[in-house]
Amino acid sequence: MTRLIKAKEFILWSLFALVIGFLAGILATCFGQILLWVGEIRSNYIFVLLPFLPLIGLVIVWLYQRYGGRASQGMSLVFKVGQGEKEEIPRRLIPLVIVTTWFTHLFGGSAGREGVAVQLGATLSYQLGKRFFSLQEQRRLIVIGMAAGFAGLFQTPLAATLFAMEVLVVGSLALSAMWPALIAAFVASQTAHFLGLEKFSHALMDAPVWTSDLFGTLLILGFLFGLCGNAFAWCLSQTKALLNQYFPNPYRRVLILGTVLSVLLLVGQGRYAGLGTNLIAASFSGQAIASYDWIFKLLLTVLTLAVGYQGGEVTPLFAIGSSLGVVLAPFFGLPLEFVAALGYASVFAAATSTFLGPILIGCEVFGFEHFPAFFLVCSLAFLLNRANSIYSGQKIRE
């Protein structure tokens, strides 16, 4: 009888994961395709649209003040529900975060997109799952949804699964969610791919031969990339705290600092607006990367998100890590693309306090033959300091 019950549960969770993966893949594709279209419009009319960034900031704040409610907590709410501290993710979170992220990108804000995908996947999984499963299964539901949303957008199902399993509580894997999360991630990834959402991947052709010197160099790089990721997370939390203190009125905050942000982005001629995929593409195509690109992208992304604009942090982290890698590579005599790829994954590891997901995203994007290098660099970046994370709701297992 016990085996029969377990078999029924296994089948039920598998079917649920299939549905969530399919729906999350569709939603991620719709969101992602429109975001790419929005980015093209911004790039073509950057000097026309950027001056309106503070005004659209007022619209974003009004939408959240008027309709947000608990949904205004965004990723923090997803974490609280996944950790069992809250019992509800409102459905309106999905349209709110999608529309306001489109607004942010259209008018030049420096932000990412994974936060939207993770939130929509988690909300979708929670809202559908609460009809069939008990509240004790909240963490599993959230992990499945996060994996599906992440995989649908980036089409890296293995990384998405491990990232979702480890991100809620640092040092604790949600192993009970592994199988359904894996199903949901693969289905979401394949659905998005079938519907035409682009995936970034790049084969590294000139990776160095392993030697003892290379081992030591990778340790140093892991340390440097770890510092960068932790700097991003620390700056984000500190900037949010300072702005809340000195600009408690969200409308005044977004109007004044949105104007400052608009001017800074205009001075940079829009190079640091949007996702940062231009910097990623430049890092892996031999185009010019300035020594200051990574720090400008870091600071402007921190300011964009701290002021109150919507989006995510992960794609900017990829851009920061890859452009920093291009800058560091000549000092160590290593191929530019190889170090850029290590930065792409390990800065993400340090800023999110995750370990397995970043290693696998490096492998899924750049090739599994480079697993030892990603493992070593991401390990050190992750271990450097787990106290700082871009996710304020993240817990650390003692």
Side-chain angles (χ1 to χ4, degrees):
M1 181 63 70
T2 301
R3 290 182 179 179
L4 181 59
I5 293 174
K6 289 184 176 180
K8 288 181 178 179
E9 289 181 353
F10 180 84
I11 294 171
L12 181 59
W13 278 108
S14 298
L15 291 174
F16 176 77
L18 283 170
V19 173
I20 294 300
F22 179 68
L23 295 177
I26 294 174
L27 279 175
T29 301
C30 293
F31 165 71
Q33 293 284 37
I34 294 177
L35 188 66
L36 293 174
W37 175 65
V38 163
E40 290 179 3
I41 295 175
R42 182 197 64 244
S43 297
N44 293 332
Y45 301 98
I46 186 68
F47 296 108
V48 175
L49 293 170
L50 262 177
F52 293 95
L53 184 60
L55 298 181
I56 203 63
L58 291 174
V59 175
I60 291 172
V61 171
W62 179 81
L63 284 172
Y64 271 95
Q65 292 284 319
R66 179 67 176 83
Y67 301 105
R70 289 192 303 274
S72 300
Q73 299 176 49
M75 282 292 290
S76 294
L77 180 61
V78 171
F79 273 75
K80 289 177 182 178
V81 173
Q83 294 159 358
E85 296 181 8
K86 298 288 184 180
E87 296 182 357
E88 183 68 32
I89 303 178
R91 290 187 295 270
R92 62 180 175 273
L93 184 149
I94 294 178
L96 265 177
V97 72
I98 287 177
V99 171
T100 54
T101 298
W102 286 339
F103 284 164
T104 296
H105 282 270
L106 178 61
F107 291 91
S110 178
R113 55 187 172 179
E114 99 297 333
V116 181
V118 168
Q119 289 177 62
L120 70 86
T123 305
L124 182 67
S125 181
Y126 175 82
Q127 286 293 333
L128 185 60
K130 70 179 183 180
R131 304 171 187 273
F132 303 100
F133 304 103
S134 67
L135 291 177
Q136 284 69 37
E137 300 291 353
Q138 282 186 184
R139 185 179 185 185
R140 191 184 301 191
L141 291 173
I142 296 302
V143 170
I144 292 169
M146 293 175 75
F150 194 103
L153 197 61
F154 292 106
Q155 294 172 49
T156 53
L158 295 177
T161 302
L162 271 297
F163 173 78
M165 288 172 58
E166 65 180 325
V167 72
L168 291 175
V169 181
V170 178
S172 175
L173 284 175
L175 292 175
S176 64
M178 181 170 62
W179 174 247
L182 192 62
I183 292 176
F186 269 99
V187 171
S189 178
Q190 289 301 309
T191 300
H193 178 73
F194 177 78
L195 294 175
L197 186 63
E198 67 176 23
K199 174 192 176 182
F200 172 70
S201 60
H202 183 83
L204 301 178
M205 306 304 295
D206 54 354
V209 178
W210 272 86
T211 63
S212 57
D213 289 341
L214 177 61
F215 183 88
T217 300
L218 293 181
L219 290 178
I220 296 172
L221 287 172
F223 176 78
L224 295 175
F225 289 135
L227 287 178
C228 178
N230 276 279
F232 182 96
W234 183 86
C235 287
L236 183 59
S237 63
Q238 293 299 310
T239 304
K240 284 183 177 180
L242 286 173
L243 295 187
N244 287 332
Q245 178 182 351
Y246 291 104
F247 296 92
N249 185 310
Y251 292 101
R252 182 177 298 177
R253 178 170 66 239
V254 79
L255 183 60
I256 295 174
L257 296 176
T259 301
V260 173
L261 179 63
S262 175
V263 171
L264 293 174
L265 290 165
L266 281 169
V267 170
Q269 298 184 327
R271 182 170 177 83
Y272 309 107
L275 295 168
T277 50
N278 58 321
L279 296 178
I280 296 172
S283 298
F284 295 101
S285 62
Q287 300 177 40
I289 288 288
S291 59
Y292 50 77
D293 277 340
W294 69 275
I295 187 65
F296 280 6
K297 185 62 179 176
L298 186 155
L299 295 175
L300 290 171
T301 301
V302 164
L303 184 58
T304 296
L305 297 174
V307 166
Y309 294 97
Q310 295 298 309
E313 302 90 354
V314 169
T315 305
L317 286 171
F318 292 156
I320 292 164
S322 57
S323 54
L324 175 59
V326 171
V327 174
L328 292 176
F331 293 98
F332 297 96
L334 293 175
L336 297 182
E337 292 186 3
F338 177 70
V339 184
L342 296 177
Y344 183 101
S346 58
V347 170
F348 168 49
T352 59
S353 291
T354 56
F355 170 54
L356 299 172
I359 293 172
L360 284 174
I361 208 165
C363 293
E364 288 186 277
V365 171
F366 301 105
F368 279 88
E369 64 271 26
H370 308 293
F371 172 82
F374 285 117
F375 181 88
L376 188 60
V377 175
C378 289
S379 296
L380 198 60
F382 166 73
L383 293 171
L384 185 61
N385 183 1
R386 288 177 288 172
N388 295 318
S389 172
I390 60 175
Y391 303 123
S392 59
Q394 194 175 49
K395 289 185 175 181
I396 299 177
R397 183 180 179 182
E398 299 297 336

